[in-house]
């Protein structure tokens, strides 16, 4: 009787093994920030919706527009981290800048904001700074050293 069961051989001798390893490393190489892009997107979504959640749409109309635009910007950064992380590594520090701006924006953009508005933006800004630092640290760790 013939042996028809397939035998598993070692793939290291395959002529395309090195190309397959390189392609696999290239595909998985930029996914180090993948654990951060979800929370960044949720932060952007909350930032955009926060004027209606905290109920300051009538008392701070300038901050409503500001937080909506900033939330969309943070959400777009998150989508960029998801779609092309290797290209977005350089913009990790932009999250920190957006976070610092969110912290100081109630006094610059708003008109005598109350404590709820101020704390809302401080918390959003602090989370953006922390997530930006995590993105930047992950990106710095993932980039090859010459």
């Amino acid at each position: 009787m013939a042996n028809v069961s397939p035998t598993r051989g070692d793939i290291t001798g395959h002529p395309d093994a090195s190309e397959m390893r390189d392609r696999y490393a290239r595909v998985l190489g930029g996914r180090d920030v993948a654990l951060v892009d979800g929370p960044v997107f949720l932060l952007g979504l909350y930032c955009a919706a926060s004027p209606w959640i905290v109920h300051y749409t009538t008392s701070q109309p300038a901050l409503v527009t500001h937080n909506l635009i900033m939330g969309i910007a943070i959400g777009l950064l998150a989508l960029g981290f998801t779609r092309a992380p290797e290209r977005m590594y350089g913009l990790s520090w932009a999250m920190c800048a957006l976070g610092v701006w969110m912290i100081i924006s109630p006094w610059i953009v708003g008109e005598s904001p109350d404590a709820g508005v101020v704390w809302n933006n401080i918390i959003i800004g602090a989370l953006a700074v922390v997530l930006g630092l995590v993105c930047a640290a992950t990106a710095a760790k993932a980039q090859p050293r010459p």
Side-chain angles (χ1 to χ4, degrees), residues 22-42:
D22 292 340
R23 184 179 300 165
Y24 184 73
R26 217 176 30 247
V27 167
L28 292 181
R31 295 304 304 156
D32 294 335
V33 184
L35 296 176
V36 182
D37 55 3
V40 170
F41 183 75
L42 290 175

PDB file of all heavy atoms in Angstrom, residues 22-42:
ATOM      1  N   ASP A  22      10.280  38.224   5.421  1.00  0.00           N
ATOM      2  CA  ASP A  22      10.347  39.682   5.280  1.00  0.00           C
ATOM      3  C   ASP A  22       8.957  40.286   5.139  1.00  0.00           C
ATOM      4  O   ASP A  22       8.656  41.320   5.740  1.00  0.00           O
ATOM      5  CB  ASP A  22      11.197  40.074   4.078  1.00  0.00           C
ATOM      6  CG  ASP A  22      12.658  39.743   4.260  1.00  0.00           C
ATOM      7  OD1 ASP A  22      13.088  39.568   5.427  1.00  0.00           O
ATOM      8  OD2 ASP A  22      13.380  39.661   3.244  1.00  0.00           O
ATOM      9  N   ARG A  23       8.099  39.663   4.341  1.00  0.00           N
ATOM     10  CA  ARG A  23       6.745  40.168   4.155  1.00  0.00           C
ATOM     11  C   ARG A  23       5.954  40.094   5.460  1.00  0.00           C
ATOM     12  O   ARG A  23       5.238  41.031   5.815  1.00  0.00           O
ATOM     13  CB  ARG A  23       6.035  39.371   3.072  1.00  0.00           C
ATOM     14  CG  ARG A  23       4.645  39.909   2.771  1.00  0.00           C
ATOM     15  CD  ARG A  23       3.943  39.149   1.682  1.00  0.00           C
ATOM     16  NE  ARG A  23       4.718  39.222   0.460  1.00  0.00           N
ATOM     17  CZ  ARG A  23       4.517  38.441  -0.585  1.00  0.00           C
ATOM     18  NH1 ARG A  23       3.568  37.541  -0.561  1.00  0.00           N
ATOM     19  NH2 ARG A  23       5.256  38.553  -1.661  1.00  0.00           N
ATOM     20  N   TYR A  24       6.105  39.016   6.198  1.00  0.00           N
ATOM     21  CA  TYR A  24       5.414  38.872   7.477  1.00  0.00           C
ATOM     22  C   TYR A  24       5.890  39.940   8.468  1.00  0.00           C
ATOM     23  O   TYR A  24       5.092  40.556   9.161  1.00  0.00           O
ATOM     24  CB  TYR A  24       5.685  37.473   8.039  1.00  0.00           C
ATOM     25  CG  TYR A  24       4.949  37.183   9.313  1.00  0.00           C
ATOM     26  CD1 TYR A  24       3.586  36.952   9.308  1.00  0.00           C
ATOM     27  CD2 TYR A  24       5.627  37.137  10.532  1.00  0.00           C
ATOM     28  CE1 TYR A  24       2.901  36.681  10.474  1.00  0.00           C
ATOM     29  CE2 TYR A  24       4.950  36.869  11.706  1.00  0.00           C
ATOM     30  CZ  TYR A  24       3.600  36.636  11.668  1.00  0.00           C
ATOM     31  OH  TYR A  24       2.930  36.380  12.830  1.00  0.00           O
ATOM     32  N   ALA A  25       7.181  40.192   8.510  1.00  0.00           N
ATOM     33  CA  ALA A  25       7.723  41.227   9.408  1.00  0.00           C
ATOM     34  C   ALA A  25       7.238  42.611   8.995  1.00  0.00           C
ATOM     35  O   ALA A  25       6.960  43.459   9.841  1.00  0.00           O
ATOM     36  CB  ALA A  25       9.247  41.175   9.406  1.00  0.00           C
ATOM     37  N   ARG A  26       7.132  42.863   7.680  1.00  0.00           N
ATOM     38  CA  ARG A  26       6.658  44.153   7.197  1.00  0.00           C
ATOM     39  C   ARG A  26       5.194  44.384   7.555  1.00  0.00           C
ATOM     40  O   ARG A  26       4.794  45.476   7.950  1.00  0.00           O
ATOM     41  CB  ARG A  26       6.852  44.222   5.679  1.00  0.00           C
ATOM     42  CG  ARG A  26       7.254  45.530   5.149  1.00  0.00           C
ATOM     43  CD  ARG A  26       7.526  45.557   3.650  1.00  0.00           C
ATOM     44  NE  ARG A  26       6.798  44.640   2.821  1.00  0.00           N
ATOM     45  CZ  ARG A  26       7.352  43.617   2.159  1.00  0.00           C
ATOM     46  NH1 ARG A  26       8.639  43.385   2.250  1.00  0.00           N
ATOM     47  NH2 ARG A  26       6.623  42.827   1.406  1.00  0.00           N
ATOM     48  N   VAL A  27       4.378  43.341   7.446  1.00  0.00           N
ATOM     49  CA  VAL A  27       2.954  43.470   7.743  1.00  0.00           C
ATOM     50  C   VAL A  27       2.734  43.708   9.233  1.00  0.00           C
ATOM     51  O   VAL A  27       1.946  44.548   9.632  1.00  0.00           O
ATOM     52  CB  VAL A  27       2.184  42.215   7.263  1.00  0.00           C
ATOM     53  CG1 VAL A  27       0.791  42.177   7.837  1.00  0.00           C
ATOM     54  CG2 VAL A  27       2.136  42.172   5.749  1.00  0.00           C
ATOM     55  N   LEU A  28       3.435  42.983  10.069  1.00  0.00           N
ATOM     56  CA  LEU A  28       3.240  43.102  11.507  1.00  0.00           C
ATOM     57  C   LEU A  28       4.107  44.169  12.147  1.00  0.00           C
ATOM     58  O   LEU A  28       3.914  44.491  13.311  1.00  0.00           O
ATOM     59  CB  LEU A  28       3.493  41.763  12.191  1.00  0.00           C
ATOM     60  CG  LEU A  28       2.474  40.683  11.881  1.00  0.00           C
ATOM     61  CD1 LEU A  28       2.824  39.417  12.640  1.00  0.00           C
ATOM     62  CD2 LEU A  28       1.089  41.134  12.256  1.00  0.00           C
ATOM     63  N   GLY A  29       5.026  44.719  11.420  1.00  0.00           N
ATOM     64  CA  GLY A  29       5.966  45.675  11.997  1.00  0.00           C
ATOM     65  C   GLY A  29       5.345  46.953  12.479  1.00  0.00           C
ATOM     66  O   GLY A  29       5.773  47.533  13.467  1.00  0.00           O
ATOM     67  N   GLY A  30       4.307  47.454  11.856  1.00  0.00           N
ATOM     68  CA  GLY A  30       3.730  48.725  12.236  1.00  0.00           C
ATOM     69  C   GLY A  30       2.544  48.633  13.170  1.00  0.00           C
ATOM     70  O   GLY A  30       1.885  49.614  13.418  1.00  0.00           O
ATOM     71  N   ARG A  31       2.272  47.479  13.725  1.00  0.00           N
ATOM     72  CA  ARG A  31       1.071  47.315  14.535  1.00  0.00           C
ATOM     73  C   ARG A  31       1.332  47.459  16.024  1.00  0.00           C
ATOM     74  O   ARG A  31       0.548  47.030  16.842  1.00  0.00           O
ATOM     75  CB  ARG A  31       0.455  45.943  14.266  1.00  0.00           C
ATOM     76  CG  ARG A  31      -0.039  45.792  12.860  1.00  0.00           C
ATOM     77  CD  ARG A  31      -1.037  46.836  12.445  1.00  0.00           C
ATOM     78  NE  ARG A  31      -2.169  46.858  13.338  1.00  0.00           N
ATOM     79  CZ  ARG A  31      -2.946  47.900  13.517  1.00  0.00           C
ATOM     80  NH1 ARG A  31      -2.707  49.023  12.889  1.00  0.00           N
ATOM     81  NH2 ARG A  31      -3.952  47.864  14.355  1.00  0.00           N
ATOM     82  N   ASP A  32       2.432  48.097  16.422  1.00  0.00           N
ATOM     83  CA  ASP A  32       2.722  48.258  17.838  1.00  0.00           C
ATOM     84  C   ASP A  32       1.812  49.279  18.491  1.00  0.00           C
ATOM     85  O   ASP A  32       1.579  49.223  19.689  1.00  0.00           O
ATOM     86  CB  ASP A  32       4.181  48.664  18.035  1.00  0.00           C
ATOM     87  CG  ASP A  32       5.122  47.567  17.605  1.00  0.00           C
ATOM     88  OD1 ASP A  32       4.696  46.401  17.625  1.00  0.00           O
ATOM     89  OD2 ASP A  32       6.268  47.875  17.247  1.00  0.00           O
ATOM     90  N   VAL A  33       1.302  50.228  17.734  1.00  0.00           N
ATOM     91  CA  VAL A  33       0.438  51.268  18.282  1.00  0.00           C
ATOM     92  C   VAL A  33      -1.021  50.811  18.267  1.00  0.00           C
ATOM     93  O   VAL A  33      -1.902  51.522  18.720  1.00  0.00           O
ATOM     94  CB  VAL A  33       0.638  52.581  17.493  1.00  0.00           C
ATOM     95  CG1 VAL A  33      -0.163  53.724  18.077  1.00  0.00           C
ATOM     96  CG2 VAL A  33       2.103  52.964  17.476  1.00  0.00           C
ATOM     97  N   ALA A  34      -1.271  49.592  17.820  1.00  0.00           N
ATOM     98  CA  ALA A  34      -2.650  49.113  17.666  1.00  0.00           C
ATOM     99  C   ALA A  34      -3.418  49.074  18.981  1.00  0.00           C
ATOM    100  O   ALA A  34      -4.633  49.192  18.988  1.00  0.00           O
ATOM    101  CB  ALA A  34      -2.650  47.724  17.028  1.00  0.00           C
ATOM    102  N   LEU A  35      -2.738  48.918  20.091  1.00  0.00           N
ATOM    103  CA  LEU A  35      -3.440  48.882  21.369  1.00  0.00           C
ATOM    104  C   LEU A  35      -3.884  50.265  21.822  1.00  0.00           C
ATOM    105  O   LEU A  35      -4.701  50.389  22.717  1.00  0.00           O
ATOM    106  CB  LEU A  35      -2.532  48.258  22.434  1.00  0.00           C
ATOM    107  CG  LEU A  35      -2.151  46.807  22.194  1.00  0.00           C
ATOM    108  CD1 LEU A  35      -1.169  46.340  23.254  1.00  0.00           C
ATOM    109  CD2 LEU A  35      -3.383  45.927  22.172  1.00  0.00           C
ATOM    110  N   VAL A  36      -3.339  51.305  21.207  1.00  0.00           N
ATOM    111  CA  VAL A  36      -3.630  52.663  21.630  1.00  0.00           C
ATOM    112  C   VAL A  36      -4.669  53.321  20.727  1.00  0.00           C
ATOM    113  O   VAL A  36      -5.381  54.219  21.167  1.00  0.00           O
ATOM    114  CB  VAL A  36      -2.331  53.498  21.656  1.00  0.00           C
ATOM    115  CG1 VAL A  36      -2.583  54.895  22.145  1.00  0.00           C
ATOM    116  CG2 VAL A  36      -1.292  52.822  22.534  1.00  0.00           C
ATOM    117  N   ASP A  37      -4.796  52.886  19.502  1.00  0.00           N
ATOM    118  CA  ASP A  37      -5.676  53.602  18.572  1.00  0.00           C
ATOM    119  C   ASP A  37      -7.150  53.505  18.942  1.00  0.00           C
ATOM    120  O   ASP A  37      -7.903  54.435  18.694  1.00  0.00           O
ATOM    121  CB  ASP A  37      -5.442  53.171  17.124  1.00  0.00           C
ATOM    122  CG  ASP A  37      -5.561  51.679  16.904  1.00  0.00           C
ATOM    123  OD1 ASP A  37      -5.891  50.964  17.868  1.00  0.00           O
ATOM    124  OD2 ASP A  37      -5.309  51.220  15.783  1.00  0.00           O
ATOM    125  N   GLY A  38      -7.577  52.440  19.573  1.00  0.00           N
ATOM    126  CA  GLY A  38      -8.969  52.343  20.023  1.00  0.00           C
ATOM    127  C   GLY A  38      -9.308  53.362  21.102  1.00  0.00           C
ATOM    128  O   GLY A  38     -10.285  54.111  20.965  1.00  0.00           O
ATOM    129  N   PRO A  39      -8.521  53.421  22.196  1.00  0.00           N
ATOM    130  CA  PRO A  39      -8.791  54.459  23.199  1.00  0.00           C
ATOM    131  C   PRO A  39      -8.661  55.883  22.658  1.00  0.00           C
ATOM    132  O   PRO A  39      -9.410  56.772  23.069  1.00  0.00           O
ATOM    133  CB  PRO A  39      -7.754  54.190  24.285  1.00  0.00           C
ATOM    134  CG  PRO A  39      -7.425  52.750  24.149  1.00  0.00           C
ATOM    135  CD  PRO A  39      -7.550  52.445  22.688  1.00  0.00           C
ATOM    136  N   VAL A  40      -7.749  56.106  21.723  1.00  0.00           N
ATOM    137  CA  VAL A  40      -7.612  57.442  21.133  1.00  0.00           C
ATOM    138  C   VAL A  40      -8.869  57.791  20.351  1.00  0.00           C
ATOM    139  O   VAL A  40      -9.377  58.916  20.435  1.00  0.00           O
ATOM    140  CB  VAL A  40      -6.348  57.538  20.237  1.00  0.00           C
ATOM    141  CG1 VAL A  40      -6.335  58.823  19.441  1.00  0.00           C
ATOM    142  CG2 VAL A  40      -5.092  57.434  21.075  1.00  0.00           C
ATOM    143  N   PHE A  41      -9.411  56.836  19.606  1.00  0.00           N
ATOM    144  CA  PHE A  41     -10.638  57.093  18.857  1.00  0.00           C
ATOM    145  C   PHE A  41     -11.810  57.376  19.798  1.00  0.00           C
ATOM    146  O   PHE A  41     -12.606  58.290  19.560  1.00  0.00           O
ATOM    147  CB  PHE A  41     -10.967  55.917  17.932  1.00  0.00           C
ATOM    148  CG  PHE A  41     -12.182  56.156  17.087  1.00  0.00           C
ATOM    149  CD1 PHE A  41     -12.120  57.012  15.998  1.00  0.00           C
ATOM    150  CD2 PHE A  41     -13.385  55.551  17.386  1.00  0.00           C
ATOM    151  CE1 PHE A  41     -13.242  57.259  15.221  1.00  0.00           C
ATOM    152  CE2 PHE A  41     -14.509  55.782  16.618  1.00  0.00           C
ATOM    153  CZ  PHE A  41     -14.435  56.637  15.531  1.00  0.00           C
ATOM    154  N   LEU A  42     -11.918  56.594  20.876  1.00  0.00           N
ATOM    155  CA  LEU A  42     -12.997  56.832  21.842  1.00  0.00           C
ATOM    156  C   LEU A  42     -12.837  58.194  22.520  1.00  0.00           C
ATOM    157  O   LEU A  42     -13.839  58.870  22.792  1.00  0.00           O
ATOM    158  CB  LEU A  42     -13.023  55.717  22.885  1.00  0.00           C
ATOM    159  CG  LEU A  42     -13.485  54.357  22.381  1.00  0.00           C
ATOM    160  CD1 LEU A  42     -13.359  53.314  23.482  1.00  0.00           C
ATOM    161  CD2 LEU A  42     -14.898  54.425  21.858  1.00  0.00           C
TER     162      LEU A  42
END
